[in-house]
Amino acid sequence: MENEDQPRLRSVVSYVKRGGRMTVGQQRAWDELWPELGRTVSELPAGPLDFTAWFGREAPVMLEIGSGMGETTSQLAAAAPQLNYVAAEVYDPGLGQLMLRAEKLGVENLRLLHGDAVVLLTEHVEPETLHGVRLFFPDPWPKKKHHKRRIVSPSFAALVASRLAPGGTFHLATDWENYAEQMLEVCSAEPALKNRYDGWAPRPEWRPVTKFEQRADVEGRVSHDLIFERR
């Protein structure tokens, strides 16, 4: 059932469509690897995306939103070959770099989607089908006047929850205290989600330390993880 609170078209999005020149390697990845590994959200046929056909196998689907330059994503996909791992990202060079990292690691269980993850979830993911959703270090939009741009909102939490299979997890992480508190408040208020912990989750050893996290540590910010599951 479609989430009635989720608008089909949003006037405010959580990302800035950045350009950025690609390296020779990233361009090669786009030319050679993208046709097999990637799809563009805006060009998908109407209706649910058939992940089983795309991966060529039946397996639990893990969606990571905002894979950045792919360092963490490539390692997580490599470490979980039993999952059909899907990464959604808007930054072209980041997707190119992720493909290069995955190629170097010999990752075969990774597919990439270029575009808006909210559109993807709303229009192309069937309800109660995802094994998990990961949102690691999304753009914090630290200025108060920009907080409305943050991706974690009541409507987003409801949308993610509706796409998770029962028992599926929504794992979030951020190094901005104010955003972490917002994430906790928003997800705790979503009736279809329950927190696996009393507040913050312990930092999983399996989650690689990102450059954002390293910078946050240097700047004195503490990273927080949250793990909710679909009731």
Side-chain angles (χ1 to χ4, degrees), residues 37 74-75 77-79 101-111:
L37 299 180
S74 57
Q75 294 179 58
R101 295 183 192 278
E103 182 182 45
K104 186 175 182 180
L105 292 173
V107 175
E108 297 182 351
N109 63 320
L110 177 67
R111 300 292 184 270

Side-chain angles (χ1 to χ4, degrees), residues 193-207:
L193 296 174
K194 66 177 179 180
N195 196 338
R196 281 194 170 177
Y197 298 88
D198 183 15
W200 313 121
R203 190 197 185 285
E205 293 183 0
W206 52 260
R207 182 169 67 72

Side-chain angles (χ1 to χ4, degrees), residues 113-153:
L113 284 157
H114 182 221
D116 191 330
V118 171
V119 175
L120 170 68
L121 287 166
T122 304
E123 301 183 5
H124 303 291
V125 177
E126 290 186 288
E128 300 189 1
T129 57
L130 296 179
H131 175 72
V133 173
R134 289 171 175 168
L135 181 67
F136 296 154
F137 302 94
D139 194 322
W141 294 102
K143 293 182 180 178
K144 190 170 183 179
K145 65 179 181 179
H146 291 154
H147 283 186
K148 63 185 178 182
R149 288 186 172 272
R150 290 174 170 176
I151 191 170
V152 179
S153 65

Side-chain angles (χ1 to χ4, degrees), residues 26 30 67-70 89 91-99 112:
Q26 291 165 357
W30 272 92
S67 51
M69 295 305 286
E89 175 59 57
Y91 187 47
D92 299 24
L95 287 167
Q97 193 63 37
L98 172 54
M99 286 186 279
L112 286 61

Side-chain angles (χ1 to χ4, degrees), residues 13-217:
V13 295
S14 61
Y15 57 87
V16 172
K17 187 69 176 73
R18 295 176 294 162
R21 182 175 297 176
M22 286 192 280
T23 66
V24 172
Q26 291 165 357
Q27 187 61 58
R28 178 187 69 78
W30 272 92
D31 294 341
E32 297 179 6
L33 303 175
W34 180 260
E36 178 184 355
L37 299 180
R39 295 186 181 178
T40 301
V41 173
S42 62
E43 297 175 1
L44 291 173
L49 178 54
D50 188 342
F51 291 110
T52 299
W54 192 13
F55 281 86
R57 67 171 189 172
E58 183 87 38
V61 177
M62 175 66 71
L63 172 65
E64 183 177 335
I65 298 173
S67 51
M69 295 305 286
E71 186 172 9
T72 295
T73 307
S74 57
Q75 294 179 58
L76 291 174
Q82 75 279 10
L83 297 177
N84 284 348
Y85 208 100
V86 180
E89 175 59 57
V90 296
Y91 187 47
D92 299 24
L95 287 167
Q97 193 63 37
L98 172 54
M99 286 186 279
L100 291 177
R101 295 183 192 278
E103 182 182 45
K104 186 175 182 180
L105 292 173
V107 175
E108 297 182 351
N109 63 320
L110 177 67
R111 300 292 184 270
L112 286 61
L113 284 157
H114 182 221
D116 191 330
V118 171
V119 175
L120 170 68
L121 287 166
T122 304
E123 301 183 5
H124 303 291
V125 177
E126 290 186 288
E128 300 189 1
T129 57
L130 296 179
H131 175 72
V133 173
R134 289 171 175 168
L135 181 67
F136 296 154
F137 302 94
D139 194 322
W141 294 102
K143 293 182 180 178
K144 190 170 183 179
K145 65 179 181 179
H146 291 154
H147 283 186
K148 63 185 178 182
R149 288 186 172 272
R150 290 174 170 176
I151 191 170
V152 179
S153 65
S155 62
F156 179 73
L159 176 61
V160 169
S162 73
R163 271 40 181 176
L164 288 173
T169 57
F170 183 25
H171 185 172
L172 311 90
T174 183
D175 56 295
W176 288 85
E177 184 79 25
N178 173 270
Y179 200 5
E181 292 171 352
Q182 178 183 332
M183 289 175 172
L184 177 60
E185 180 181 354
V186 166
C187 292
S188 296
E190 169 50 48
L193 296 174
K194 66 177 179 180
N195 196 338
R196 281 194 170 177
Y197 298 88
D198 183 15
W200 313 121
R203 190 197 185 285
E205 293 183 0
W206 52 260
R207 182 169 67 72
V209 178
T210 67
K211 291 181 180 178
F212 288 107
E213 204 168 358
Q214 291 173 342
R215 186 189 310 162
D217 187 57

